[in-house]
Amino acid sequence: METKTISAEDVGIGVDLSPPLSPLTFSLYDSFLSSHCSSCFSLLPPTPPHSLYCSAACSLVDDSPTVSPPDLSPILSTSDIRAALRLLNSISSSSAAASLPHRFGGLLTNHRRLMADSSFSVAIRRAASFISAVLRSDRGNTVLEEAAICAVLTNAVEVQDRAGVAIGIAVYGSRFSWINHSCSPNACYRFVISPPPHSTTTSSFQETLPRITNTDKEHFSSNYEGTVRYGPKVIVRSIKRIKSGEEITVSYIDLLQPTGLRQSDLWSKYRFICNCGRCAASPPAYVDSILEGVVALDHDELTTVGHHDGAATVGKMTSHINKAIDDFLSDDIDPATCCEKIEGVLHHGILDSSSLRLHPSHHAALHAYITLASAYRIRSIDSETDDFGRAFEMSRIGAAYSLFLAGVSHHLVSAELSFAISAANFWTRAGESLLELASKFLMESSGEYDDDDVKCSKCLMLVENHGEIKENFNQILKCAVTDSDSSQVTWSFLIRGCPYLQNFKSSIDFSFTGNHCKREESKSVDQRVSILLLSFHCLLYADLLTDLCYGRKSHSVS
Ligand SMILES: [Zn+2]
Ligand SMILES: [Zn+2]
């Protein structure tokens, strides 16, 4: 029987559904072992002597053996093996063994499916004997170790720090791990990473949020919850309205991918085929049609066409862009060449094939904007010492791509609210890059401006009054990009010298005009003030999204 995690009551948007849940096991990635505490995942103090722990308290609670596991990549990472070892070390083998090897301490293991695949089974057996030797097991077989490894592979989530950097993995008990995947989820989760408190009293907060229950009540309230009372905690939060009894879902993968890529991602990582509403929709959901959409250049007009018209061409464009991104990330090409290659494909398509272009929301285009924003930023930093004018230009175009990506993500969020998690990051970056650009203005001229000119009291008041989420978003956007007198002028200013972005009338309007954007010169608008104001609105918008998904502010707007 498939178990479902359900909501115990009606909840609104942006509500914590669980208390901070302790992990069953966890492990840092190798590259973070020397910078982060192996026990609580918080940053280690920079002063030597280097230790694995941030404090005596952390080193005392962690009784897992320190080992160097064998390298069995790409199937098993050393952190997977360390996590499995910690799991076995902390759970008594008699209680874990209840229904081996298909369940381990209440967790599904996927044991049969994983061991049926020889590429997995060989690595799992080798790791199992390694763990068995470390723990000096005298059981004569490694079924328990295998089950622990499979439980980690099936249930581990990547733990991210506040900046969104994945620093390790953790496995949580049934209240978290039994939550099923959906590509259109109604909940998300975040981590609480903090050094241990000085007092040893356990928090009474633990049971104050009983909003999650399960259809399989018998196994659900098992005593495997948070056996290890340390390590990174997780909190589940609603991102949509959820009715009492409705299933709670989260996403296991990157949702900004079209259906085919999500399915192959889920299969390779979790060995299941997703049948959620978004995956099963026929015709495909709107967001999926644009995530792999193309447009055709017809008489200088771009019109949206289905992706089946020219799958080969789209495949070529996608792989050209992905190759340029990979080469840039591995330092094989410099930022300028990277920009030239990616913008070439976005703007001109592929030479031998006529008129097809990627839709501005195509998943490869989204990755292209992220890369372009950072490549232009690097070019700006590189020119800062000897050519300030050029540094400013590069910073300007980089900010334009950041803002455009935020705009595209807004378009996606309005169709599917669960994209809010990515959109929060995109709007934050857009706000920050505009702020950086504005600071370059200030270095150039020293004109005075009024503080109130770069804040918008209308939006601030609205947000402080905790209005309806949708209304807040609409008001901020109206102010920031669609309604304000200066927005068109500012957008034209940002995209000057960037033929691809000149196809778009504004940062959130993807109707292709065919005619390039008019180059309006600003007369009445002080460009610096309007960019600061735009940056303010972006950060305010990012704050709303971050509050919705993470229950905290991303940035102090002031
Ligand atoms: Zn610590
Ligand atoms: Zn799905």
Side-chain angles (χ1 to χ4, degrees):
M1 181 193 81
E2 197 203 10
T3 67
K4 282 182 177 171
T5 299
I6 54 176
S7 181
E9 56 187 83
D10 288 349
V11 289
I13 298 177
V15 174
D16 283 349
L17 299 171
S18 75
L21 301 170
S22 295
L24 294 176
T25 182
F26 53 89
S27 175
L28 282 172
Y29 287 139
D30 283 2
S31 49
F32 294 94
L33 281 171
S34 56
S35 57
H36 290 69
C37 175
S38 288
S39 170
C40 71
F41 279 27
S42 59
L43 219 77
L44 288 174
T47 44
H50 290 296
S51 146
L52 289 172
Y53 303 101
C54 69
S55 61
C58 270
S59 103
L60 275 175
V61 287
D62 187 7
D63 59 355
S64 183
T66 308
V67 291
S68 305
D71 183 7
L72 300 172
S73 54
I75 303 297
L76 281 171
S77 72
T78 48
S79 47
D80 292 331
I81 303 174
R82 276 199 307 273
L85 177 71
R86 190 193 296 271
L87 187 60
L88 281 166
N89 195 49
S90 62
I91 287 185
S92 83
S93 48
S94 58
S95 61
S99 46
L100 277 174
H102 306 297
R103 271 177 193 263
F104 182 97
L107 298 174
L108 289 172
T109 60
N110 250 338
H111 182 267
R112 200 184 322 135
R113 283 189 197 163
L114 289 169
M115 297 309 275
D117 184 332
S118 63
S119 56
F120 277 94
S121 62
V122 172
I124 291 170
R125 285 206 186 92
R126 273 192 59 196
S129 356
F130 169 79
I131 293 172
S132 163
V134 171
L135 295 177
R136 298 203 181 84
S137 151
D138 52 9
R139 264 175 287 102
N141 68 54
T142 56
V143 178
L144 193 63
E145 287 81 2
E146 281 174 25
I149 295 163
C150 292
V152 168
L153 284 176
T154 305
N155 297 283
V157 285
E158 268 198 331
V159 179
Q160 299 183 345
D161 67 7
R162 276 185 85 115
V165 180
I167 55 178
I169 57 165
V171 176
Y172 296 89
S174 53
R175 266 197 286 186
F176 180 76
S177 288
W178 286 16
I179 300 178
N180 287 323
H181 164 87
S182 165
C183 303
S184 167
N186 54 18
C188 66
Y189 52 90
R190 67 179 187 276
F191 299 96
V192 183
I193 296 170
S194 55
H198 289 297
S199 76
T200 49
T201 51
T202 39
S203 155
S204 57
F205 184 48
Q206 284 291 329
E207 295 308 324
T208 56
L209 287 168
R211 294 196 172 108
I212 291 181
T213 180
N214 194 280
T215 49
D216 181 0
K217 292 213 172 58
E218 189 193 333
H219 291 100
F220 185 63
S221 44
S222 63
N223 52 1
Y224 302 112
E225 204 73 67
T227 320
V228 195
R229 290 267 167 212
Y230 54 103
K233 296 187 169 67
V234 74
I235 296 176
V236 183
R237 188 172 176 87
S238 69
I239 48 171
K240 291 176 184 168
R241 264 178 235 291
I242 307 176
K243 288 220 166 67
S244 175
E246 195 182 323
E247 181 172 17
I248 295 169
T249 51
V250 296
S251 173
Y252 298 176
I253 51 160
D254 172 14
L255 292 178
L256 286 176
Q257 306 182 84
T259 312
L261 287 179
R262 292 199 310 276
Q263 292 289 3
S264 62
D265 216 6
L266 286 168
W267 181 255
S268 70
K269 286 180 188 148
Y270 303 99
R271 288 283 182 271
F272 73 86
I273 293 162
C274 183
N275 213 353
C276 73
R278 185 177 159 197
C279 285
S282 173
Y286 171 69
V287 286
D288 286 312
S289 69
I290 60 172
L291 278 171
E292 54 186 343
V294 291
V295 286
L297 189 68
D298 186 17
H299 302 298
D300 214 27
E301 291 262 329
L302 286 160
T303 44
T304 306
V305 295
H307 72 277
H308 46 274
D309 306 338
T313 313
V314 177
K316 258 193 212 168
M317 290 193 278
T318 307
S319 66
H320 269 68
I321 288 178
N322 289 340
K323 171 136 193 351
I325 294 175
D326 288 345
D327 287 351
F328 171 63
L329 292 177
S330 55
D331 267 337
D332 288 343
I333 54 173
D334 61 59
T337 313
C338 168
C339 294
E340 195 185 306
K341 287 193 167 181
I342 293 179
E343 286 176 317
V345 178
L346 289 176
H347 189 53
H348 300 291
I350 295 283
L351 278 180
D352 60 341
S353 68
S354 69
S355 62
L356 289 185
R357 306 283 184 276
L358 296 179
H359 188 278
S361 306
H362 190 280
H363 66 97
L366 301 181
H367 287 288
Y369 307 145
I370 296 172
T371 309
L372 288 168
S374 83
Y376 274 106
R377 190 164 177 273
I378 293 171
R379 292 170 75 182
S380 170
I381 295 167
D382 287 348
S383 339
E384 241 157 29
T385 44
D386 52 354
D387 188 348
F388 188 79
R390 188 174 165 72
F392 184 83
E393 299 292 279
M394 297 293 108
S395 173
R396 176 172 60 74
I397 299 177
Y401 275 113
S402 290
L403 180 60
F404 191 66
L405 178 63
V408 174
S409 76
H410 165 75
H411 188 73
L412 289 162
V413 170
S414 15
E416 168 56 62
L417 197 53
S418 55
F419 291 134
I421 306 160
S422 322
N425 296 327
F426 297 154
W427 281 97
T428 305
R429 254 176 268 160
E432 286 169 354
S433 57
L434 287 163
L435 205 59
E436 222 173 88
L437 180 66
S439 75
K440 292 204 159 70
F441 262 117
L442 299 178
M443 286 158 77
E444 229 179 12
S445 64
S446 56
E448 289 294 307
Y449 65 89
D450 195 338
D451 232 24
D452 288 339
D453 288 348
V454 298
K455 278 190 280 191
C456 173
S457 48
K458 198 161 44 164
C459 287
L460 260 188
M461 240 164 59
L462 197 82
V463 171
E464 276 161 6
N465 290 340
H466 298 285
E468 188 63 22
I469 280 180
K470 228 177 180 148
E471 246 168 71
N472 288 352
F473 284 150
N474 289 342
Q475 175 58 43
I476 293 172
L477 275 178
K478 229 167 112 187
C479 260
V481 269
T482 49
D483 221 25
S484 105
D485 296 334
S486 63
S487 69
Q488 186 82 22
V489 182
T490 306
W491 179 243
S492 303
F493 166 75
L494 288 174
I495 61 178
R496 214 179 282 161
C498 180
Y500 173 65
L501 288 180
Q502 279 168 356
N503 280 314
F504 305 96
K505 270 193 291 187
S506 86
S507 56
I508 62 158
D509 176 9
F510 312 122
S511 53
F512 291 87
T513 59
N515 303 313
H516 281 184
C517 215
K518 268 187 260 154
R519 292 185 179 190
E520 297 170 56
E521 290 306 324
S522 112
K523 288 189 182 100
S524 57
V525 183
D526 180 343
Q527 211 57 260
R528 177 186 38 153
V529 169
S530 70
I531 283 175
L532 277 170
L533 192 61
L534 183 57
S535 158
F536 166 85
H537 279 114
C538 288
L539 292 173
L540 202 60
Y541 193 86
D543 255 10
L544 283 182
L545 289 169
T546 310
D547 192 30
L548 171 83
C549 304
Y550 297 98
R552 61 172 160 83
K553 297 286 177 193
S554 65
H555 200 281
S556 95
V557 174
S558 58

